[in-house]
Amino acid sequence: MPQELVYCIYGMNVATSLPLPARQSPLQAEVSILRGAAPDILSAAFSPNQKLQFDGHRVLLNQPLFGKLLIEKQGNILFDFHPSLSQAHTITAIQGSGLGTLLHLRGQIPLHGMAIATDKGAIIVLADSGSGKSTLATAMLLANLSVFTDDIVALQADKDGVLQIQPAHRRLKLSQPQLHTLGIDTSTLSSTAPGIEKFGWDIPEDQFAHTPMPIIKCLFLAPARTHNAHAHIAAIGKLEAFQRLRQSVYRPRLIGVFDHEPSFFSLNQRLQHQCQSYTMQLPELGHFSSLTDYGKAIANQLLSL
């Protein structure tokens, strides 16, 4: 049986025999991930056809691509996946649906986006799926910046109430062209999920931001692109920032399911008190000779805000 190790991911110390692409932790585990048989329903009040069931302290997820996940608020995650599911696909589901749902369950509202480390602190860029988060993360790596995540942004207040981003894991979800730009041979990589065209690629250790950092800027990425060779970045007011933040929550309907509106409002107040929010439209890649030049141009704009 593979050895069980403890990893630090999203600010939680997670024990599992799965080889997570995350930094190992010397601390005692607060979350345990095990394979086992999950129930079909949590109580008679729920239909077994529901994809998400919640009984007050446990969540049962039924995902067609993967199988079932039983997530307990106290920190136990049981996965009951299809026997044919690969280890790489299992890790994708655990790091996303499993731990992302646990954050929600604990009232630590996760956001959907990417984040980079700078000398002054962390910049988070929030966006919907397909808006270019992974492309931007790839470009930032080529611009020699460290990346925290390209998917789940986990924030946690320190002892002084300052919001910090917690390191996620090293695995990015990238397309074949993005990986070819990085000089990566995709024949050795696995897709992130059955039927999904993106590959899982682990950031090199020296470019993975593995230390929590305070948030200094928050940007909301627009799907539209500018028609010139630089990003259009504009500061926004508190009301618009609040509305965009709500749209940028990772699986936002879980806020209502778990009755965590107070947690979301607290997150919004802390974030807006701590840093300025912006909208950002990226330029088309065609304006640049390479993704590296694109990354350096965007990085210079972000660092000069």
Side-chain angles (χ1 to χ4, degrees):
M1 178 179 293
Q3 180 185 5
E4 187 174 75
L5 298 174
V6 179
Y7 301 90
C8 185
I9 179 170
Y10 308 135
M12 300 181 288
N13 294 302
V14 179
T16 178
S17 60
L18 292 169
L20 299 185
R23 194 171 182 82
Q24 290 187 23
S25 172
L27 303 177
Q28 185 175 355
E30 60 185 289
V31 177
S32 178
I33 299 173
L34 296 170
R35 183 189 299 272
D40 291 325
I41 57 175
L42 291 182
S43 78
F46 297 102
S47 162
N49 295 322
Q50 286 182 295
K51 292 183 179 180
L52 185 148
Q53 301 171 33
F54 175 53
D55 68 0
H57 64 94
R58 297 181 302 168
V59 176
L60 179 64
L61 294 179
N62 193 342
Q63 299 179 303
L65 287 178
F66 300 105
K68 292 182 289 186
L69 274 166
L70 181 65
I71 304 156
E72 298 180 343
K73 187 175 182 178
Q74 66 185 35
N76 295 320
I77 297 179
L78 186 73
F79 64 96
D80 186 1
F81 290 161
H82 307 313
S84 61
L85 198 70
S86 71
Q87 185 180 79
H89 293 164
T90 296
I91 289 172
T92 295
I94 294 295
Q95 294 182 151
S97 298
L99 294 173
T101 300
L102 180 59
L103 287 171
H104 264 292
L105 195 55
R106 291 180 164 184
Q108 298 172 234
I109 310 298
L111 303 176
H112 199 193
M114 60 85 65
I116 59 173
T118 76
D119 292 339
K120 297 180 180 179
I123 297 176
I124 59 175
V125 181
L126 307 179
D128 295 333
S129 296
S131 296
K133 300 186 305 298
S134 295
T135 299
L136 185 59
T138 306
M140 294 301 98
L141 292 173
L142 291 169
N144 294 320
L145 291 177
S146 296
V147 174
F148 285 96
T149 179
D150 74 336
D151 190 27
I152 294 179
V153 175
L155 304 181
Q156 197 172 65
D158 66 11
K159 60 182 178 60
D160 297 317
V162 177
L163 275 180
Q164 294 187 321
I165 182 169
Q166 298 295 325
H169 51 80
R170 295 193 294 117
R171 186 154 299 170
L172 301 187
K173 300 175 182 178
L174 300 174
S175 67
Q176 191 172 58
Q178 290 167 337
L179 288 163
H180 285 171
T181 299
L182 290 166
I184 305 299
D185 179 9
T186 56
S187 66
T188 63
L189 302 178
S190 170
S191 63
T192 56
I196 302 300
E197 293 183 356
K198 285 198 171 184
F199 294 86
W201 175 69
D202 296 349
I203 303 173
E205 285 279 3
D206 61 352
Q207 283 193 280
F208 175 58
H210 52 73
T211 303
M213 280 189 173
I215 309 302
I216 58 170
K217 304 292 178 186
C218 175
L219 294 96
F220 297 95
L221 186 60
R225 298 291 184 259
T226 63
H227 297 294
N228 46 45
H230 63 271
H232 177 70
I233 300 174
I236 56 175
K238 292 187 175 182
L239 178 58
E240 184 177 354
F242 168 79
Q243 293 169 336
R244 289 180 178 268
L245 188 68
R246 183 59 180 260
Q247 296 167 1
S248 300
V249 170
Y250 178 78
R251 301 194 174 170
R253 78 183 188 95
L254 293 182
I255 295 176
V257 171
F258 301 150
D259 195 24
H260 283 158
E261 289 288 352
S263 298
F264 173 73
F265 278 98
S266 175
L267 171 65
N268 173 69
Q269 290 175 336
R270 286 180 184 272
L271 189 60
Q272 295 210 31
H273 174 74
Q274 186 168 318
C275 67
Q276 175 66 53
S277 294
Y278 303 81
T279 58
M280 178 168 67
Q281 285 181 280
L282 294 171
E284 294 285 356
L285 280 170
H287 290 294
F288 301 87
S289 59
S290 67
L291 188 57
T292 300
D293 289 342
Y294 173 85
K296 289 179 179 178
I298 304 304
N300 287 337
Q301 285 190 258
L302 292 177
L303 296 175
S304 65
L305 283 177

